[in-house]
Amino acid sequence: MDRKRETINLYVCSSVGLDYFFFLEKTIATAGYDVAPVYLISEKRYRTLAKFSGFKKIWLRLEMYFVYPAMLFCKALFSKKGSVFVVSSNPFYAPLLTKLAVCFRDIKVIHLLYDLFPDAIEVAGTIEKDKMVSRLIGLIAKKSQRVCDGTVYLGDFLRKHADLRWGVPELEATIDISTDLELYRSPFAPLPSGEKIIIHYGGQLGHMHDVASMVECVKDVLNSELSNLIEFNFYVSGAKAEFLENCLQGYRVNIRPAVPSQKWREDVAGFHVGLVLLSPGGASVCLPSRTYAMMAGGMAIIGICPAWSDLASVIRQSDAGWIVNNSKYDNLDQLQGPDYLDRLNDKNNIEEIKSQFKNILTSIVNNRSLIKEKRENAYSGVRKNFNIEILSKQWERFINDVRAGKRVSGPLFSQRVPNPMRVSIITVALNAKATIEDTITSVLGQGYKDIEYIIIDGGSTDGTLEVINKYKNRISKVVSEPDNGMYDAINKGVRIATGEIVGLLHADDLYVDKDVVGAIVEEFKPGVDSVYADLVYVERENIEKVVRYYDSSAFNVSKFAYGWMPAHPACFFRKSVYDKHGLYKNDYLIAADYELLVRFYAKFKITHRYLHKVIVKMRSGGVSTKNFKSNITLNREIVRACRENGVETNIFKVYLKYFSKFLQLFQRPG
C-alpha cells in the first residue's frame, strides 16, 4: 500500500551518525515521510577520535557540544514552515535549542530521549546530584520536557523515571530502538556438538555499563571447571575499555577494539551468547541498542542488569535469554519511596551476581539445547516484536499527534499516546490434544490485539504439541518441558510474561466470544489491581450446553471463610501484583489457586472490580471435582489457605459452599 503523505520536511538529528539513527530514518520513511539526516560526525570518526587524549579528543568535544548545535540551530532557523525535527539528546540541550530557534513558527520539535541528563553524568560520578551543575542541567531537562512538542522514550522505565524527576512533557510515547533486520543474514549458524560456547560483548563500554561485575563474573568462570567449555570474545571501545583490558590481563579472554558495524554483523554469526551490561543507575539513563542487534544476529542474551530495567523487559519479552540481577531490588515496587533516587543506584552483592552468572553458564553447558532454544527465541522475537512495520506505525501515529498539537491542558500536563495495555494469556497443558485447539483459537480470535499468548506444556505425549505447532507462528511463546504440576507450570508462564495484565486460560477452557479481553482491559482503570467476571460450566462433549453458572457478583473477602471465591479462570491481575505478592504455592495439591486469591484479596487487600459478563466456558470434570477424595483434599487445603492468610474459618464453614453450588445448577446468565 502506498503510504506517501503530504510532503513535509522531517529531519532526524544527532551529533553522531550511528546505526540506530540510520534505521530511524528508514523507519519514519516507511511511514510515508520524506526524511533528511542532520549529523556532523560519522560513527567511524567518532570511535577513532574517542580513543585519543589531548587535542584530538578536545576537538571531538568541541564539534559535539558547539559546532553541531550551531549547525542544528541554523538548520532549524531557516527551515520551512510545517517541518518536523526529531532531535536526539546528544548533546542534552540540542532539543531545547532547536525549539528556541523555531518557537514563533509552525515547526514541531520531537525530543528523542536517547540518553538522560544530568542523570548520565551523575551516575558516571562526574558531578554530584543536586549540586549547582546538576541543578543547572536539570533545569534544561525540565525545560526540554516542557517546551518541546513531544518526547519519545526508548523504554517504559526510562519514561516513568524522566517523568517523575524532570516533569511530564506535553505529549509522550515509548517506541523501541530495534535494528535494521535486513542487514543480518538468515539463518544463524548452529552450535556444533562439543564446540566451546562463545560469549561475546560488542560495542561501547562506558560509565553506564556494569563493567566491574562483568570482570568479576568472567574471572570467576575462568577460575572454575567451566573454563575449558566457555570462550569469552570481546570487541570493545569507550571509557572503560582500558579498565577491562587491565583487569583481565593474564586471563584467557579475546579482547580487541570495536570494529565497524558491517564487520561486526559478519562476525556475530560465529558467536552464541551475547553479553549486555547496564548498571542500576545506568538503567535510568539509557537502553543498550546493541541488544536488538545481537538478537537479530541469532545470539541468546545474558543481561547483567537490574531485573526491573527496560533491558530486562526486552530480554523477557522474547524469552531471549537470562537476566543476572545486579540491583539490590527485584521489582519497581521495592524502589518506590522518598529515597527513590538513592535506591536506584543500590547494587546487589557481587557474590550473588557472580553466583547468578555462573549458574546460568552451568545450566547451558549441561543442557546445550537451551542455547538453541534461546537463540531461536531471540532471532524470531526481534523480528516479531520489533520489526520496521510495527515501529513505523508507532512513529506515524506520534508524528501525526504532534503535528495536530495534541495535549491535555497546557504544557505542564501530558497527552500520552495511548499505548494499549499488553495482556499476557497463559495456557498450561498436559496431554490435552482433544480440547486445546478450542482454547487456542478462542485466544487468537480476540478482537483486542495487544495479546502475548504463552503456552506451557508439561511434556505431552498424546499429540498436543502437534496441535500447538499448527498455530506456533501466532503464539508468542511455547515452553514444553516436564514440570512439578499445574501450579509450577503456571508460575513458569507468569515469570516470562511481559504484559501489564496477566490472565489464565486452561487447556480445557475457552473464551465465550472475541470481546472478552477487550472488556477486561476496559475495567482496568488506574489503581485497579484485579478484574474478575463470571463463567459457565459446560458439558465436556457439548460446549454449547451449560450445566452450571458461576456468578462472581456476590464476592467479598468475608466469603473466603465459607470456601467461596470469584471464578479463578475469570480472574485477571496486574503483573505487578504477582511481582509484589508472589506466585502460586507448589506445596498445595489442588487449592493453590484458592490460596493465591485469599492472599491477594484478603491478606494484601488488592483493589478489584467485577465485570458482569460470562467470559469463560469451563468443561466439567476438573481436578478439584474429580472424586470424593479430591473434594476432601480441596476443603482441607482451603482451611489451611485461610488460616495461613489471616482468615478465620473451620471445615464446617467451608462445607457450606455446597449449598450455593447446588443453587448454581438452576441459575443461568441473565
Side-chain angles (χ1 to χ4, degrees):
M1 183 179 73
D2 184 9
R3 295 172 69 184
K4 206 70 177 176
R5 55 186 66 254
E6 62 177 292
T7 302
I8 64 167
N9 293 327
L10 195 149
Y11 301 95
V12 172
C13 313
S14 177
S15 59
V16 181
L18 301 172
D19 267 6
Y20 165 62
F21 296 109
F22 301 146
F23 177 61
L24 179 59
E25 291 175 48
K26 185 176 179 179
T27 301
I28 296 175
T30 301
Y33 293 99
D34 291 323
V35 184
V38 180
Y39 312 133
L40 179 65
I41 306 163
S42 70
E43 180 179 4
K44 182 178 179 180
R45 184 162 173 270
Y46 171 76
R47 300 208 186 281
T48 300
L49 292 178
K51 296 175 186 176
F52 293 98
S53 57
F55 175 76
K56 288 186 177 180
K57 193 155 192 174
I58 292 172
W59 177 246
L60 176 65
R61 299 303 179 199
L62 286 172
E63 285 187 294
M64 292 177 64
Y65 290 100
F66 295 98
V67 179
Y68 164 73
M71 180 183 80
L72 180 59
F73 185 86
C74 292
K75 186 76 175 178
L77 195 62
F78 297 104
S79 58
K80 292 182 179 179
K81 180 181 178 181
S83 297
V84 176
F85 282 77
V86 179
V87 185
S88 84
S89 52
N90 292 319
F92 62 88
Y93 50 84
L96 178 60
L97 187 68
T98 308
K99 187 60 184 177
L100 291 176
V102 301
C103 59
F104 298 111
R105 303 173 61 207
D106 183 21
I107 294 173
K108 303 297 184 182
V109 177
I110 296 173
H111 179 192
L112 176 60
L113 212 157
Y114 193 75
D115 292 309
L116 181 61
F117 288 85
D119 304 61
I121 45 181
E122 289 173 352
V123 172
T126 307
I127 64 173
E128 291 185 47
K129 181 165 62 74
D130 294 331
K131 298 295 184 181
M132 185 179 70
V133 176
S134 173
R135 289 200 300 269
L136 178 62
I137 298 174
L139 180 63
I140 294 173
K142 288 179 180 178
K143 288 291 184 183
S144 296
Q145 294 285 80
R146 179 169 179 167
V147 306
C148 288
D149 300 287
T151 300
V152 170
Y153 304 91
L154 307 184
D156 283 329
F157 175 73
L158 291 174
R159 175 181 61 77
K160 292 171 185 174
H161 172 76
D163 285 0
L164 178 67
R165 191 172 184 195
W166 304 118
V168 179
E170 292 192 2
L171 192 73
E172 62 179 3
T174 299
I175 304 179
D176 290 283
I177 308 176
S178 197
T179 189
D180 192 342
L181 300 172
E182 293 181 355
L183 300 176
Y184 297 84
R185 81 182 198 184
S186 173
F188 59 86
L191 172 60
S193 177
E195 186 175 295
K196 283 186 177 182
I197 297 167
I198 301 177
I199 299 178
H200 172 72
Y201 183 91
Q204 287 283 102
L205 275 180
H207 296 289
M208 302 307 107
H209 303 105
D210 190 359
V211 184
S213 290
M214 180 175 73
V215 165
E216 294 304 314
C217 288
V218 170
K219 287 180 178 179
D220 189 45
V221 169
L222 293 180
N223 286 327
S224 74
E225 68 282 358
L226 299 174
S227 60
N228 293 321
L229 304 170
I230 302 287
E231 179 180 319
F232 291 100
N233 184 302
F234 298 156
Y235 292 3
V236 295
S237 61
K240 291 287 187 176
E242 186 177 352
F243 171 80
L244 177 77
E245 291 186 48
N246 291 337
C247 289
L248 292 178
Q249 272 190 347
Y251 286 87
R252 194 158 37 84
V253 181
N254 298 319
I255 302 177
R256 60 180 293 187
V259 298
S261 297
Q262 183 175 343
K263 169 64 175 167
W264 181 83
R265 284 191 291 269
E266 293 170 359
D267 290 351
V268 294
F271 306 141
H272 309 125
V273 179
L275 193 56
V276 288
L277 313 173
L278 200 57
S279 69
S284 67
V285 174
C286 62
L287 174 63
S289 56
R290 188 53 66 97
T291 309
Y292 300 89
M294 287 177 167
M295 291 168 64
M299 279 190 272
I301 305 296
I302 296 178
I304 301 179
C305 62
W308 40 261
S309 65
D310 292 317
L311 174 55
S313 296
V314 169
I315 298 169
R316 286 196 197 99
Q317 183 168 349
S318 299
D319 192 21
W322 305 266
I323 295 157
V324 176
N325 184 20
N326 59 0
S327 169
K328 187 177 177 180
Y329 307 103
D330 295 322
N331 56 63
L332 290 177
D333 289 332
Q334 295 174 356
L335 279 177
Q336 303 309 311
D339 56 347
Y340 160 76
L341 290 177
D342 295 320
R343 292 188 188 191
L344 199 62
N345 293 284
D346 287 348
K347 193 171 176 181
N348 203 349
N349 179 279
I350 189 60
E351 294 302 320
E352 171 62 22
I353 294 171
K354 286 160 55 178
S355 174
Q356 291 180 55
F357 186 77
K358 189 175 178 181
N359 287 341
I360 290 168
L361 295 194
T362 301
S363 69
I364 62 179
V365 163
N366 291 334
N367 183 6
R368 293 166 76 91
S369 64
L370 277 176
I371 299 182
K372 182 176 183 292
E373 176 190 328
K374 300 298 185 183
R375 293 180 78 189
E376 289 174 347
N377 290 348
Y379 186 83
S380 60
V382 73
R383 286 162 173 79
K384 177 182 178 181
N385 299 318
F386 308 112
N387 64 67
I388 196 168
E389 284 299 319
I390 290 175
L391 302 180
S392 67
K393 288 175 183 176
Q394 293 174 342
W395 273 103
E396 178 182 15
R397 182 177 184 178
F398 190 72
I399 291 167
N400 287 343
D401 286 350
V402 165
R403 293 183 67 209
K406 285 193 177 181
R407 62 174 184 248
V408 176
S409 178
L412 293 180
F413 298 87
S414 76
Q415 169 66 43
R416 290 194 174 98
V417 173
N419 292 322
M421 287 189 285
R422 169 167 290 192
V423 180
S424 297
I425 305 296
I426 300 166
T427 293
V428 300
L430 179 63
N431 295 329
K433 178 184 177 182
T435 59
I436 194 170
E437 191 158 16
D438 287 341
T439 307
I440 293 171
T441 55
S442 79
V443 175
L444 299 181
Q446 290 297 301
Y448 190 84
K449 295 305 178 187
D450 198 0
I451 293 176
E452 175 188 54
Y453 190 27
I454 300 169
I455 297 183
I456 309 294
D457 175 72
S460 296
T461 58
D462 70 336
T464 297
L465 279 174
E466 285 77 0
V467 177
I468 294 170
N469 286 334
K470 286 170 57 178
Y471 303 92
K472 191 169 184 180
N473 291 339
R474 300 175 62 194
I475 298 170
S476 306
K477 299 167 187 174
V478 176
V479 177
S480 182
E481 61 188 17
D483 52 51
N484 294 318
M486 179 176 67
Y487 298 118
D488 180 49
I490 295 174
N491 288 342
K492 287 182 184 180
V494 174
R495 288 189 188 101
I496 64 175
T498 64
E500 188 172 344
I501 300 169
V502 177
L504 307 177
L505 189 67
H506 297 310
D508 281 348
D509 308 340
L510 63 152
Y511 290 134
V512 296
D513 58 42
K514 66 181 179 61
D515 299 319
V516 167
V517 175
I520 289 291
V521 170
E522 282 294 313
E523 296 298 319
F524 269 96
K525 310 300 183 187
V528 175
D529 295 322
S530 170
V531 173
Y532 56 87
D534 303 334
L535 65 75
V536 288
Y537 289 88
V538 297
E539 286 190 354
R540 196 158 192 83
E541 304 303 327
N542 180 10
I543 60 174
E544 300 306 318
K545 185 169 183 180
V546 175
V547 297
R548 183 175 143 210
Y549 169 42
Y550 197 136
D551 180 2
S552 298
S553 64
F555 168 71
N556 61 64
V557 293
S558 66
K559 297 286 184 75
F560 282 126
Y562 297 90
W564 201 90
M565 65 179 182
H568 177 244
C571 290
F572 289 73
F573 299 97
R574 290 193 188 272
K575 176 71 183 306
S576 58
V577 173
Y578 287 105
D579 292 339
K580 188 173 183 178
H581 300 309
L583 302 175
Y584 294 84
K585 292 186 176 180
N586 287 325
D587 57 347
Y588 279 75
L589 297 176
I590 299 176
D593 52 354
Y594 197 93
E595 189 282 329
L596 180 122
L597 295 188
V598 178
R599 181 168 16 114
F600 283 3
Y601 290 128
K603 182 177 181 179
F604 292 112
K605 297 179 174 55
I606 67 169
T607 57
H608 50 86
R609 286 173 69 94
Y610 165 66
L611 170 64
H612 183 48
K613 175 181 171 70
V614 173
I615 65 170
V616 174
K617 290 182 179 180
M618 185 175 183
R619 286 183 171 88
S620 300
V623 174
S624 63
T625 58
K626 198 171 184 180
N627 52 47
F628 182 69
K629 185 177 179 181
S630 294
N631 275 277
I632 292 175
T633 302
L634 170 68
N635 292 322
R636 285 175 176 171
E637 289 191 342
I638 286 174
V639 172
R640 173 189 160 197
C642 288
R643 289 174 177 171
E644 285 181 354
N645 291 287
V647 175
E648 291 187 12
T649 191
N650 56 60
I651 196 69
F652 302 107
K653 278 187 176 182
V654 168
Y655 271 100
L656 290 174
K657 70 180 177 179
Y658 290 105
F659 178 72
S660 64
K661 283 191 174 186
F662 176 74
L663 294 178
Q664 288 175 355
L665 295 173
F666 304 99
Q667 294 177 318
R668 290 297 180 267

